[in-house]
Amino acid sequence: MTRKQRRLTLISLAGVVLASAVGLVLFALSDGITFFTSPSDVLAKPPGLDQRVRLGGLVERGSIVKEADGVVRFAVTDGKATVPARYVGILPDLFREGQGVVAEGKVDGSGLFVADTVLAKHDETYMPKEVVEALKKSGEWRPENGEGPAPETVQR
């Protein structure tokens, strides 16, 4: 084997090892990846029944129903579309109608979003970047001070 052939073999072997390592990492992370989506996206292209998603938007006014068995039903909207949601557990103190929310879970066969985690807006100016972008895209973004949240509060 010449020096050139050895170098080419070594580079090829390193490429195969690197590609295998990347493939293994992506496979290992595939269960932990949760994609953000807005209600409009869920209705336009529903995720698979086993696919976890983060649904973000505003809690629709008049939609919160607390049942006796601890089940809370509410709707998440981005102004263009609304997705009904269901959650069992204790909600964050700041969870209320008209406020920003990000819920993690799955969409069932009937189109109901079954959340296992609910995150609420935590102060007067913070809203997750993805929620702000989805609301701006739908034309429903209404910052209180006319300028929107400061960049340092959006990227926490």
Side-chain angles (χ1 to χ4, degrees):
M1 240 185 190
T2 66
R3 180 184 273 180
K4 187 176 183 180
Q5 289 173 331
R6 270 187 279 162
R7 193 175 324 145
L8 183 60
T9 303
L10 183 62
I11 291 172
S12 298
L13 183 62
V16 168
V17 169
L18 181 63
S20 299
V22 169
L24 287 173
V25 167
L26 290 176
F27 179 74
L29 292 176
S30 65
D31 289 338
I33 295 174
T34 305
F35 295 101
F36 177 83
T37 186
S38 68
S40 296
D41 295 337
V42 169
L43 294 180
K45 186 180 175 193
L49 295 177
D50 290 332
Q51 184 181 358
R52 289 186 53 79
V53 294
R54 278 190 177 154
L55 178 65
L58 299 174
V59 178
E60 187 174 49
R61 295 195 187 279
S63 70
I64 298 176
V65 177
K66 295 182 179 178
E67 299 175 0
D69 57 354
V71 174
V72 180
R73 295 183 183 276
F74 59 96
V76 179
T77 184
D78 62 3
K80 291 184 178 179
T82 301
V83 173
R86 175 183 181 273
Y87 176 70
V88 178
I90 299 172
L91 289 168
D93 291 337
L94 297 174
F95 180 86
R96 61 184 173 269
E97 296 172 348
Q99 294 295 317
V101 65
V102 175
E104 289 185 29
K106 298 178 182 179
V107 178
D108 69 7
S110 66
L112 177 69
F113 184 79
V114 180
D116 53 38
T117 305
V118 173
L119 307 170
K121 184 172 146 174
H122 77 278
D123 68 14
E124 297 304 316
T125 58
Y126 176 77
M127 190 174 292
K129 179 180 171 187
E130 295 89 353
V131 173
V132 171
E133 290 171 0
L135 290 172
K136 284 181 179 179
K137 185 177 169 184
S138 71
E140 287 295 317
W141 174 243
R142 293 175 295 220
E144 288 81 15
N145 63 4
E147 299 171 355
E152 64 272 7
T153 60
V154 170
Q155 299 177 359
R156 285 186 190 170

